[in-house]
Amino acid sequence: MNYELIGTNDYKVFPLETVLANRGVKDIDAYLNVGKHNEYDYNLLDNNDRAVDMILGHLNNGSNILINCDEDFDGYSSSAVMWNYIKRIYPNANLSFHIHEEKIHGLFDKDIPENIDLVISPDSATNDYNDLKLLNNRGIDVCVLDHHLSQDPDYDYGDKTVVVNNQLSKKYPNKELCGAGIVYKVCQAIDDRLGVSYANDYLDLVAMANVADLMSVKSLETRYYILEGLKDENIKNPFIKAIIERMDFFIKGKVNTKTVGWNIAPIINGTIRYGTQEEKEDMFRAFIETCEKTIPYKARGSDEEIEQPISEAMARVCANAKGRQDRARKKAAEELEQIIEEENLASENILIVDATDKLDKSLTGLVAM
């Protein structure tokens, strides 16, 4: 094997320092010793106060609030943080959620019922200018809590849409914080406004969302949230705990960036991509800590049907959905490999295979890899 060493490589004497330095970490001591001192003040996020005012105003008025759940791990996690936090401070809040039937991202006017007063859109909608305007014209307020780059940084959203986005906040240094991180910042602000301390109870979802969304851990704040949220004592969400237990054969009790990225997050993403609409909606319900729904289950070889708590049941259902996805991906890849071989496509500099009618679009990225 031919290889080329890049950078200064004292890997035999200082392996850790060499690896970090070659990956752009300049202050190694600071990187290895992150803590709460690496957090940035939520006030550095533009419109954070306006978001708090909007959310609390609607909660105080008993408004109908819909959470628009985006179609990936970060979308589900950030929406779950928002839901669980609101129910913690306002147990009787009128909350509902929307999950797309297809694997698409964003906020769409047509999906929002007429009786909704406020839409909260975690991890999406910064660039959904037309749909935001349509919703506002219907008298619906929208609170966007996002981290995606803006197509028009100078866009005027008007008074009825509030956007909190680290990419649009010049004073907020950390651009490597996912949607769940932005929701967490807003929850911190509400904590201070109400004189409570609940936001930290959702750091497990914040940590895993940052890992699943491939946020750079060269950001010390993001690295701190990940390390803090993955501590055993901070993993509190019943559904996440059920998945960890379900996947223990693979993770062997170790919850870290590797096991989240390769074993835990794929269970969620596999269900989003390959689960039924009912499975996707029940998966989000499993994230909701106050959800008391049960699902009937009959163990293999048993005639007795039991009612499983939704967190436990969906850990099983999601693992099965991921299994279906894996088998479909393998079959599709084998069929496309046969086409590549038959048409001698591997000899081309750029490999393009016509997968029309051969590949479910939810599998495109996985099969390509």
Side-chain angles (χ1 to χ4, degrees):
M1 177 190 296
N2 295 324
Y3 62 90
E4 179 183 354
L5 293 178
I6 300 174
T8 303
N9 292 277
D10 297 323
Y11 55 88
K12 291 184 178 179
V13 180
F14 303 109
L16 180 59
E17 289 84 348
T18 297
V19 168
L20 293 177
N22 285 345
R23 281 154 180 78
V25 177
K26 296 179 181 179
D27 189 336
I28 293 175
D29 184 64
Y31 185 82
L32 296 177
N33 294 282
V34 293
K36 193 167 180 62
H37 59 278
N38 294 116
E39 274 193 296
Y40 293 112
D41 190 331
Y42 56 73
N43 287 307
L44 297 176
L45 286 166
D46 291 355
N47 301 318
N48 204 31
D49 276 346
R50 288 184 60 207
V52 173
D53 290 341
M54 180 176 281
I55 293 170
L56 290 181
H58 278 281
L59 287 170
N60 287 326
N61 289 334
S63 298
N64 293 319
I65 301 173
L66 181 141
I67 295 179
N68 181 60
C69 187
D70 204 49
E71 293 283 286
D72 59 17
F73 191 106
D74 188 18
Y76 275 66
S77 296
S78 55
S79 295
V81 172
M82 192 78 265
W83 182 293
N84 289 329
Y85 184 87
I86 286 176
K87 281 295 187 179
R88 187 89 170 268
I89 59 174
Y90 279 78
N92 296 321
N94 299 317
L95 289 185
S96 59
F97 64 87
H98 172 77
I99 291 175
H100 300 306
E101 294 189 10
E102 298 181 31
K103 177 69 171 63
I104 53 177
H105 298 280
L107 175 63
F108 300 94
D109 164 69
K110 64 180 178 62
D111 295 330
I112 309 304
E114 292 297 328
N115 67 329
I116 297 301
D117 303 299
L118 169 66
V119 174
I120 302 176
S121 193
D123 190 37
S124 69
T126 292
N127 297 307
D128 296 332
Y129 307 118
N130 186 58
D131 287 281
L132 291 170
K133 187 178 294 184
L134 290 171
L135 288 168
N136 292 162
N137 289 341
R138 289 168 53 188
I140 298 173
D141 288 337
V142 183
C143 183
V144 174
L145 308 176
D146 197 8
H147 72 117
H148 293 99
L149 289 170
S150 171
Q151 297 171 2
D152 184 0
D154 297 320
Y155 182 79
D156 182 3
Y157 291 94
D159 295 331
K160 293 186 70 61
T161 290
V162 173
V163 177
V164 182
N165 186 323
N166 52 337
Q167 310 300 337
L168 290 170
S169 302
K170 293 181 180 178
K171 294 182 180 178
Y172 197 80
N174 184 9
K175 307 304 181 185
E176 293 293 339
L177 190 62
C178 71
I182 302 303
V183 172
Y184 171 72
K185 289 293 185 180
V186 172
C187 292
Q188 283 185 318
I190 299 176
D191 267 0
D192 288 347
R193 183 79 66 89
L194 299 182
V196 297
S197 183
Y198 300 147
N200 285 347
D201 289 338
Y202 310 105
L203 270 175
D204 51 353
L205 298 181
V206 174
M208 292 187 180
N210 275 290
V211 174
D213 230 34
L214 301 179
M215 296 295 99
S216 172
V217 292
K218 286 196 289 185
S219 162
L220 299 187
E221 181 183 53
T222 300
R223 175 171 160 79
Y224 165 62
Y225 286 151
I226 290 173
L227 294 179
E228 191 69 14
L230 295 186
K231 289 180 178 178
D232 288 343
E233 64 270 23
N234 288 335
I235 298 176
K236 300 180 179 182
N237 186 272
F239 179 46
I240 293 298
K241 292 170 76 171
I243 291 178
I244 291 170
E245 183 176 349
R246 182 98 190 166
M247 300 300 293
D248 191 61
F249 176 81
F250 300 100
I251 69 178
K252 303 186 187 320
K254 296 180 180 178
V255 181
N256 51 37
T257 55
K258 179 181 178 181
T259 56
V260 170
W262 288 96
N263 302 111
I264 297 172
I267 295 293
I268 306 298
N269 286 328
T271 306
I272 293 170
R273 292 174 181 272
Y274 218 70
T276 66
Q277 184 67 11
E278 181 181 9
E279 287 171 339
K280 293 196 297 181
E281 291 179 358
D282 276 343
M283 183 172 71
F284 184 71
R285 292 186 181 97
F287 272 107
I288 298 172
E289 295 175 355
T290 56
C291 182
E292 297 180 354
K293 180 178 178 179
T294 60
I295 294 178
Y297 171 62
K298 185 184 293 185
R300 185 177 298 175
S302 173
D303 294 328
E304 182 182 2
E305 187 173 83
I306 62 173
E307 293 289 328
Q308 274 191 319
I310 193 167
S311 56
E312 296 177 19
M314 289 313 299
R316 168 179 52 80
V317 171
C318 292
N320 291 340
K322 180 64 169 64
R324 295 199 305 270
Q325 182 195 43
D326 288 344
R327 291 189 292 274
R329 181 207 64 212
K330 182 179 179 182
K331 180 181 178 182
E334 289 173 348
E335 291 177 357
L336 295 182
E337 285 171 359
Q338 184 175 351
I339 295 173
I340 291 170
E341 184 175 344
E342 291 174 351
E343 299 183 11
N344 197 30
L345 297 176
S347 61
E348 303 292 337
N349 290 330
I350 299 176
L351 179 58
I352 299 176
V353 185
D354 184 0
T356 306
D357 300 326
K358 299 180 180 65
L359 179 62
D360 188 302
K361 64 181 181 181
S362 69
L363 296 172
T364 303
L366 294 171
V367 172
M369 286 192 291

